[in-house]
Every structure is written in C-alpha cells, then in structure tokens.
Amino acid sequence: MNKLFPFLLILFCSACAIGPNYKRNEFFSDEQIAQNLKITNSTGKIVPADWFKFLEDEKLDRLIKNALKNSPNINIAKEKLKQARYNLYMTNADLLPSFDINGEYVKSNPSKFSDLATKQDYYQLGLDASWEIDIWGGKRRLSESAMAMLDSVSADFDNVKTVLISEISIAYLNWRLYQQLAKETLINIANQEHIFDTIKNKYNAGLVDTLVYNQAESLLKSTKQQLPQFLMNENKYLNVLSVLTGELASDIKDEKSDILNKSFSFDKAALYDLPVNIIRNRPDVTASEQQLVAQNALIGNKISNLLPALSLEAFLGYQNSTLSPIFNKDFNMYSNSIETIMPIFHWGKIINDIRAQKSVTKEALNNYKIAVLQAIADVSNSIKNVEESIENYTLAKDNSALYQNIAELSNTKYTQGLIAFSDFLDAEKDKISAQIQKHQALNDLLIQVIYFYKAIGGETRTNYSAQGDRKDCLT
C-alpha cells in the first residue's frame, strides 16, 4: 500500500486542474437589461440567418450569398478559425507522450597528450519516448485556454459575417439611392430643358422679360449641377460593393431594382419583442467573454510552475561500433528514468508571472464589461433611430406627395396665366427637393433597420461553448 500511495496521489491530482475556474460575471441582471432597453424579454423570438431578406431584393440576396462564399473578409476569418483549431490540436498534443527516432554517430580521436579523453567510434539508433505528466493540470489549463480562443475566433467569424452582410446591404442601398436620384435628375433635366426652350422662344419673341429667362436658365443649371455628384456617389458605392463582395465592379450586373420605390412599413412593437440573451450572445460580446475565459485559464497554468514537475523518459535501441549486425540482441540497449523538478528560488519570476496573468485577466474582464455595455448601447440607439426614421420617412413621403400635387397645380395655373413664372419655378424646385428627401428618408430608414439587426448580432444564436464544471485544486 505504501508503494501505491505516490501513484494514487498523482492520479488524484491529475483528476483536477489547479487555478480558478471561470465563472461568468453577469454585471447586470436580465431584469436590469430588459428594463433599460424596454424589451419584453420574450424567449421564443427567433431572428433568422437571412434577416436581410426583409428588403425583398433578389439582386442583393445574390450578392450576399456569393460574398459569404468568396469575400476576402470571409476567407480571412476562415483561415483565422483554422489557425485557432490547429493551435488547439497542438496544445492537446502536449498532454500525450512524444516519440522520436534518435540516430547518432560519434567518432573522436583525442590527442596523445590527453589523459581524460578516450577514443570513441560507435553508432546509436533507437526510439526516444518522453512524457511530462500533467499532475497539477497546468497543461490542461493551456488546453482550456486554447479551446476558449477557438470559441472566441468562432464568434469573431460570426461577427465578420454579420458585419459583412450589414455593410453590403448598406452599400447596396446607397448605390441604389444615387442611381435612383441620377435617373430622376435626368428626367427633371429633360423636362426643364423643354420648359427653358419654351421660355427662350418666348424671350426671343419679346413675350417674356429677362428675369423669366434667367429664372428658367437658373433652374436648369441648378438641376444639372446635382447630376455629377449623384453619378460620382453611384460609382463610389458600386466600388464599395466590389471590395466587400470580392467581385469586380463590372461584374456586378446592374439589374433593375425598385427597392426604394416600395411602400415600406415596420412594426415598431417588434423592436421591443426581443430576448434579453441577445446581448450576451452577440458575436463580439461572446468573443470578448471567451478571451476572458482563455486568460483566466492561463492563471492555473502559471500557478503550476510553482509546483514539482514529473517527467518520464525511456530509450530503446541499438548501440555498437558498427552498423552490422544492427538487430543482434547482444547490442540492444534500453534505459528509462523518472525526473522531477521543484522550483526553489527564481528571484520572484514565477510569482510575478502569476501576478501579471491575473492582471491580464482583470483587463480582459473589463474589456468584456465594455463589450456588454456597448451591446446594450447599440441596441438602445438602434431602436431609437428606427423609431425616429419611421417618423421622418412618413413625413417625407407625405411631403413629397403634397409638393407633387402643388407642382401639378402650379403648372396648370401658369399655363392659364393665373400665377407668375417665379411661383411655378418655386413649386418645381420644392417638388424636386421633396422627391430627393423622400428617397433619402426611405434609404435612411432601411439602413437604420439594418443597423438594428446588426446591433442585436444578426441571427439568433446559442452559447458557442458550454464550459463544463471543473474541480479546483490548490486555488
């Protein structure tokens, strides 16, 4: 029994991992978060992965689908995920024994004046095996840290997808906005050129004065002046789409889209029909928490450096002055050893390493808290912005219809000679301005809804990794 005691002690210690286990710091209760955001905290609310389809635009759907396969940003995120997975594999491999083939040839011929050296000429070939037993769980803490980093990178990958979908949708909307404004501006220019030609003929005939002529010319030039800016912005956002999707701008076919001509309505009550766990399960928040888990696990790894380390080593092979006969049992050799190292005095290096790791963990804790607060702020801001954008769009849409009607009446009255030409021009200017404001208001509303989905983290997710209960030893 006395001989078995050391091995039983090793097995007992190997069943647990030294250092503090991670325990989530909630910071704020679900009730506090729900009250702050005024959400219902409904548990059945599901946000689909294809949430962007609320825009009902097939061209946008195809761009996003292709981008999720081919975008450089997605490919970079995939490679980072692979790297984190490979790092976990390498860390786990350190928990197991290692085996190496060891070959050696030694030939020495000391000088005749050497008393200590001897002539050597031999070959050695064999299999080396070594294993550092993870008595205190320090290596398992490294594995835990690597697993948490893999979860963090996995969450980052989801965050990249959410951000990419959002940015593509916003760039697409802006592209369509300036495309629409450029198209309508060309129509307005054509109409105003017709009006100017009519006024010019009347001016040449002496039927209107210079003021009317200049007013008509000024309106036409003012409208033409808007066109280059609209065309530049249209081209700019097309190139933004090119970068985001990984496609050349010339390959993004300009199919017809009526995305900014649809009647759009949004149920404001849906903004508050959310589960509170969208905050903690948002990809960037999850990534930050998993980084905290990783740093916390490293504390145990650093603590294990204070305790004895136990290593087993063995060699089995062949040793002789020649390579033949290599498999003769008379030349076979083996060795095995048990080595233990106990740190005694390192001038405070190990203790300060532990302190430094605890400090890094506290830093990660505060970063996690910032991520939670930022998520709450983003959701709060996005809800408010959507509500305000709905009101602004409703007013802009009604205003555009009103000025359209005024412009039509003004045209009729001017034709009948009931109002001055300047009044007709003012009505025309107001109509154009109201049209632009309506399109911009709808575009802004759709973008704010996209920001809302981005703020809640896109699709509904569950926890990336369930950190199981672990035993604490010598914490």
Side-chain angles (χ1 to χ4, degrees):
M1 181 65 185
N2 291 336
K3 294 181 179 181
L4 290 176
F5 179 76
F7 296 99
L8 293 175
L9 179 61
I10 291 175
L11 290 175
F12 171 76
C13 293
S14 299
C16 60
I18 197 170
N21 288 329
Y22 175 75
K23 182 178 180 182
R24 172 183 282 178
N25 191 324
E26 301 290 354
F27 300 119
F28 313 103
S29 67
D30 288 352
E31 292 74 17
Q32 287 177 304
I33 295 175
Q35 184 178 5
N36 180 271
L37 296 175
K38 300 178 182 178
I39 59 179
T40 59
N41 193 18
S42 59
T43 56
K45 182 69 175 180
I46 299 297
V47 180
D50 57 352
W51 54 265
F52 52 89
K53 287 191 175 182
F54 81 92
L55 293 167
E56 299 179 352
D57 191 282
E58 294 182 359
K59 172 66 176 179
L60 175 60
D61 294 346
R62 283 196 294 274
L63 284 175
I64 292 176
K65 180 180 179 181
N66 293 336
L68 291 176
K69 294 180 180 178
N70 306 318
S71 167
N73 291 320
I74 289 294
N75 290 333
I76 290 172
K78 286 180 180 178
E79 294 307 318
K80 288 182 177 179
L81 189 58
K82 290 179 182 178
Q83 293 163 23
R85 186 177 295 115
Y86 297 147
N87 184 62
L88 175 62
Y89 294 159
M90 290 187 294
T91 303
N92 288 341
D94 286 338
L95 291 167
L96 303 173
S98 63
F99 300 89
D100 300 285
I101 294 177
N102 183 359
E104 183 180 10
Y105 169 64
V106 177
K107 182 177 181 64
S108 64
N109 188 17
S111 70
K112 61 182 180 179
F113 300 105
S114 174
D115 295 329
L116 299 177
T118 59
K119 185 175 181 180
Q120 295 184 14
D121 189 359
Y122 73 91
Y123 297 85
Q124 181 173 297
L125 179 66
L127 180 67
D128 268 326
S130 61
W131 182 26
E132 182 179 340
I133 301 175
D134 190 29
I135 302 176
W136 314 109
K139 289 188 176 182
R140 273 169 285 146
R141 288 301 191 188
L142 282 178
S143 178
E144 178 186 338
S145 178
M147 182 65 203
M149 288 306 299
L150 175 59
D151 290 336
S152 177
V153 175
S154 177
D156 281 333
F157 178 68
D158 283 334
N159 192 49
V160 168
K161 290 194 293 184
T162 300
V163 171
L164 181 65
I165 291 172
S166 303
E167 290 182 349
I168 290 175
S169 301
I170 292 170
Y172 182 82
L173 284 170
N174 284 325
W175 177 47
R176 291 303 191 188
L177 169 65
Y178 288 106
Q179 191 178 67
Q180 179 76 19
L181 292 178
K183 178 181 177 181
E184 292 187 358
T185 299
L186 287 172
I187 295 173
N188 290 330
I189 288 173
N191 292 335
Q192 291 168 19
E193 284 178 338
H194 176 72
I195 294 172
F196 178 68
D197 289 341
T198 302
I199 296 298
K200 184 178 181 180
N201 292 332
K202 290 183 177 181
Y203 176 73
N204 292 334
L207 299 177
V208 297
D209 58 14
T210 304
L211 177 62
V212 172
Y213 178 86
N214 289 338
Q215 287 174 332
E217 185 180 25
S218 175
L219 175 63
L220 176 59
K221 289 184 176 180
S222 177
T223 304
K224 284 184 176 181
Q225 190 177 3
Q226 294 176 334
L227 183 60
Q229 188 63 50
F230 294 155
L231 292 174
M232 284 190 294
N233 284 335
E234 178 187 350
N235 185 68
K236 180 181 78 171
Y237 284 108
L238 177 59
N239 285 317
V240 171
L241 277 175
S242 171
V243 174
L244 292 172
T245 59
E247 301 180 29
L248 291 174
S250 57
D251 293 336
I252 301 177
K253 296 180 181 179
D254 187 11
E255 302 170 11
K256 291 183 179 180
S257 173
D258 60 348
I259 192 169
L260 293 177
N261 292 316
K262 298 176 183 177
S263 57
F264 179 79
S265 60
F266 192 85
D267 182 12
K268 288 193 288 187
L271 296 171
Y272 300 96
D273 186 20
L274 296 170
V276 74
N277 62 7
I278 61 167
I279 299 298
R280 297 188 181 92
N281 290 341
R282 206 171 83 155
D284 59 327
V285 175
T286 301
S288 181
E289 182 181 20
Q290 291 304 315
Q291 289 170 14
L292 171 59
V293 173
Q295 296 300 330
N296 184 77
L298 291 179
I299 296 176
N301 173 259
K302 302 298 184 183
I303 293 175
S304 68
N305 293 331
L306 285 172
L307 303 170
L310 182 65
S311 299
L312 304 180
E313 293 186 4
F315 176 82
L316 176 63
Y318 158 87
Q319 188 178 61
N320 193 14
S321 58
T322 65
L323 283 174
S324 177
I326 192 169
F327 295 113
N328 191 315
K329 65 179 181 178
D330 293 334
F331 303 106
N332 290 343
M333 65 169 293
Y334 72 90
S335 65
N336 55 66
S337 63
I338 300 177
E339 180 183 9
T340 181
I341 298 176
M342 176 68 184
I344 300 298
F345 191 69
H346 290 260
W347 304 98
K349 178 180 177 180
I350 299 176
I351 293 296
N352 286 316
D353 194 20
I354 296 170
R355 290 170 179 168
Q357 187 56 48
K358 288 181 177 180
S359 177
V360 172
T361 303
K362 289 180 180 179
E363 178 186 349
L365 176 64
N366 283 284
N367 285 332
Y368 174 48
K369 184 176 183 179
I370 290 172
V372 172
L373 287 170
Q374 186 63 58
I376 295 172
D378 288 345
V379 174
S380 178
N381 288 336
S382 65
I383 290 174
K384 183 65 174 177
N385 291 343
V386 171
E387 288 182 330
E388 295 297 330
S389 297
I390 290 173
E391 298 299 325
N392 185 51
Y393 170 62
T394 302
L395 290 173
K397 182 174 65 173
D398 294 343
N399 210 32
S400 179
L402 178 63
Y403 278 111
Q404 178 69 32
N405 187 45
I406 291 174
E408 292 173 358
L409 292 174
S410 297
N411 184 43
T412 301
K413 288 188 176 184
Y414 174 70
T415 303
Q416 295 173 351
L418 299 178
I419 61 173
F421 184 69
S422 60
D423 294 332
F424 164 74
L425 289 183
D426 289 340
E428 189 70 16
K429 289 179 182 178
D430 291 339
K431 180 195 76 172
I432 295 173
S433 178
Q435 284 177 340
I436 294 174
Q437 290 177 8
K438 182 189 75 170
H439 290 311
Q440 289 177 332
L442 176 56
N443 189 64
D444 181 65
L445 171 56
L446 296 177
I447 287 176
Q448 293 305 328
V449 174
I450 291 170
Y451 278 135
F452 167 74
Y453 281 110
K454 180 183 176 183
I456 63 177
E459 63 183 293
T460 303
R461 296 178 176 87
T462 56
N463 290 329
Y464 287 84
S465 176
Q467 296 291 336
D469 292 336
R470 305 175 195 81
K471 297 178 180 178
D472 274 321
C473 292
L474 304 177
T475 57

